Amino acid sequence: MRIQRNPQLNANGELIHLLSTEGLSKDVLTNILDTATNFVSVSDREVKKVPLLRGKSVFNLFFENSTRTRTTFDIAATRLSADVINLDIARSSASKGESLLDTIDNLSAMAADIFVVRHNESGAPYLIAQHVAPHVHVVNAGDGRHAHPTQALLDMYTIRHFKGDFSNLSVAIVGDVLHSRVARSNIHALTTLGCPDVRVVGPKTLVPGDMAQMGARVCNDLREGISGVDVVIALRLQNERMSGALLPSAQEFFKSYGLTPERMQWAKPDAIVMHPGPINRGVEIASAVADGPQAVILSQVTFGIAVRMAVMSIVASHDA
Amino acid sequence: MNTPLKARPASELNAESLYQELLQQMRVIVAKADSPVRLVGIASGGVWLAHRLQADLGLEGSAGVVSSSMHRDDFSTRGLSSMSVQTQLPFEINGANVWLIDDVLYTGRTIRAVLNELFDYGRPAAVKLAVLVDRGQRELPVEANLAIARSDLPATQLLELSRTEDGQLTFGIEATPE
Amino acid sequence: MKILIKSGRVIDPASGMDAQQDVAIAGGRIVAMGPTIPDFTPEKTVDARGAIVAPGLIDLCARLREPGFEHESMLESEMAAAVAGGITSLVCPPDTDPVLDEPGLVDMLKFRTKKLRQARVFPLGALTRGLKGEILTEMAELTESGCVGFGQADVPIVNTQVLQRTFQYAASFGYSVWLRPQDYWLGQGVAASGALATRMGLSGVPVAAEVIALQTIFELLRGTPARVHLCRISSAKGLALIRQAKAEGLPITCDVSVHNLHLIDVDMGYYDARLRLQPPVRQQVDRDALRAGLADGTIDALVSDHNPVEADAKNLPFAQAEPGGTALELLLSLALKWGQTDGIPDRQVLRALTRGPANVLGQSLGSLQDSLGQIVIGGVADICVFNPTDEWVVSDGSLRSQGKHTPFSGYALPGRVVTTIAGGFVAFDSQ
């Protein structure tokens, strides 16, 4: 087997692409969070812009639709004074049969500096990162089931903000873990940052047993899964899961795994509730919890902009 | 502006005595000012100075802190500098009478970045600059309103302010890193 | 043509011969062997000093992409690659375009390959029309055109009743059925199920997919004995079942590909699409079992599983990339590498490439059955002369195949073919 260098890092160990939270050291992750702290205050200024990426072009390449994530990247890049170009690939060249790499080549010829990519196939951003010129940086906005590193980083930022140190925390991730890139990226980030108790919770059809090898404790019972935890991260349940014999219905999922005020009592009294959004009320989470005092979902959104600003500034500042 | 100062040799740059002179001159300025003087220390060398001045001058509230990191012009070569200190302005910036405080004035680039940073927050009525040491070699048309001492150190040397355990300020000379 | 192969180490796995001797060929046959061969004036002499003289290799799975890719002269390049790799006989699966389910297509393929005077091509016919798993093909007609067996390539038959009937029909005529055991529904994934696939977010193919398919085949065979060849086994559990079934006396044979013999799931690194393979490469325990199975004879043959995938077809996200890799020119070297690493004697390594596959083909070889895969006086002159210790590096430049994608790119492998003789003709000569 050939040992390959982590494509996210240059020869000096500096971040040039953000593809996954896996394989990044505690220092690299912490540096991103610390840098993000500086950017949180930018939204409070009268002039909500800093010139760090002035003259740079950020191309948002979303092969999978997502207005929310794309908008936050758009805002983040704009606040860094970058020029932002949004490409709705579904309606353009890819649907005419242009290959992924041809699309990238054409866009690179238009002087792109950063590609923010969301794709439905796991691994697509790696292919892109291996293919682009040295001065171009790739930020993964979600690839298939594999990774969503900026979401994990903003989740870590949120947890650090409300809970401080990771080394004493218990975190539960509840829901469709099997198909979740958010879950995978969170597990890697939490374990790297020193969280000693990461649990994945859901029915066996949605929580594979071998997730234990990623360092998470597998629980099929919600009570066992969230007893005494400091943080509950609820994942979105997609409708497609009902076909494919993974789940009988959304109602049954809510019955066994939905977060209600009564069930939240199993967690610590000061536990926080997070969700990557958009929420399915009455499926993963009851409205009372989503709108309640423990939910920090809106903070996640705010922090998401600062974290993405941090990620883009950091990768842009390092040479390949 | 002061009358031109004579350059002092490095061995005569005693930070504590320079501070005392600065404090004396700032007292006069504060007494004559027709609107409250807002001290803002430039990160990181000016922060201690600003806090000490604020206390010694008996000014209301706390001194502000301003970081140049968001507006530096060397991002593409040096990347993100240490962003450990953030800008905090604990007063209304619009219409304020701001005095920036720093330890050393050199090329002037930090001042340019700091001015941009300040103006991201609002529109002060006036911005003035007081420094302990002006070591010349400006690369931009920037001057201090008040400089206590002048120095002719060569470009191969760095002048750094530090604070001892018991809070005493001292200047140190180091070789400029590559 | 009269050819003399001088001073080579002649190894014939079938008879156990392993001796320094000369080999004389005339009229497409081996006419004499011995320390010297008097009264023989060759038109061509092959200097085999320091080399091994083995039967020409028989590759039970190599795709020539004909019919389908005539416009790219694929047949010519791949046949040239085969003999450059020491291969003198190859079996091609029926998943061509169009599918090999019409006698006319088989006739054309045999005609075109014969003309090239390189390796012998033994096509597998489709078991069902269009490989759709519904309607039987005209197996008798296809056999007459030259098919040596019938298979489904990588398309499992879902309908168990149809599968049973293919066994019954084939058995009536003594035809063999070639199946890659994989359950259709459980086999939809792109990587081997396990911790790695879960971590990488890739859909997995569990071992159960192979085990369930094997159990189904074996149970049907108990009711309807037919000769079945199981293609490209991937798991330890699957192999264990095959061992049991053979002990039970079921009429089965099996093979393994060079990929599953050498590679495991983690070799994909950061989504290297050259590791996108069918069947997927599994975990260490599976690889170890397969290597042991080839060594102890449970696995009858080692195959290249050659697929000359085009450049663009691999420059895609892992799941979308076309599975397979180029391997005709790697078969011998990868077999020798296995032998070196696991301490397997040369004769046994070569058996998996010669006598073993010849036995699998069995009666379908007709008169060739007596000598194909062997070096025997009076037998066909299919010979591979190679230098076992010469190393070469796998690279675009060193491959004659139009397919340049292989997970072994950059590897330094042992074994360089000196000369390949097929049917008494020098098909490849590096001297």
Side-chain angles (χ1 to χ4, degrees), chain A residues 1-2 4-7 22 99-101 119-124 126-127 130-131 143-146 178 184 188 208 210-211 213-214, chain C residues 193-195 197-204 266-272 274 314-320 406-411:
Chain A
M1 179 171 88
R2 281 186 292 271
Q4 294 165 263
R5 194 186 62 204
N6 188 336
E22 185 183 8
S99 78
L100 173 61
L101 291 182
H119 199 285
N120 54 303
E121 290 290 356
S122 299
Y126 287 80
L127 182 65
Q130 277 160 18
H131 186 77
D143 65 324
R145 310 179 187 178
H146 171 242
L178 173 64
R184 284 169 177 77
H188 292 306
D210 50 27
M211 226 129 200
Q213 299 208 31
M214 284 173 61
Chain C
S193 285
T198 297
R199 193 153 54 86
M200 303 290 272
L202 296 170
S203 54
V266 296
D267 288 331
M268 78 163 72
Y270 294 104
Y271 297 97
D272 188 342
R274 293 171 302 186
K314 287 287 193 188
N315 265 347
L316 292 167
F318 193 86
Q320 293 173 351
T406 161
F408 300 103
S409 218
Y411 278 50

Side-chain angles (χ1 to χ4, degrees), chain B residues 24-95:
Chain B
Q24 223 181 18
Q25 302 217 30
M26 287 305 297
R27 273 196 221 283
V28 175
I29 287 164
V30 168
K32 284 200 202 153
D34 42 7
S35 65
V37 165
R38 305 291 186 195
L39 296 181
V40 178
I42 296 178
S44 56
V47 177
W48 297 320
L49 292 172
H51 284 312
R52 220 165 125 179
L53 280 173
Q54 185 92 358
D56 290 345
L57 291 168
L59 297 175
E60 239 186 75
S62 342
V65 170
V66 64
S67 162
S68 62
S69 49
M70 297 285 187
H71 285 274
R72 293 184 67 94
D73 62 7
D74 53 3
F75 174 74
S76 48
T77 44
R78 276 191 43 192
L80 289 175
S81 58
S82 156
M83 285 192 156
S84 47
V85 184
Q86 291 188 65
T87 299
Q88 276 165 44
L89 303 171
F91 53 83
E92 172 60 51
I93 184 73
N94 291 303

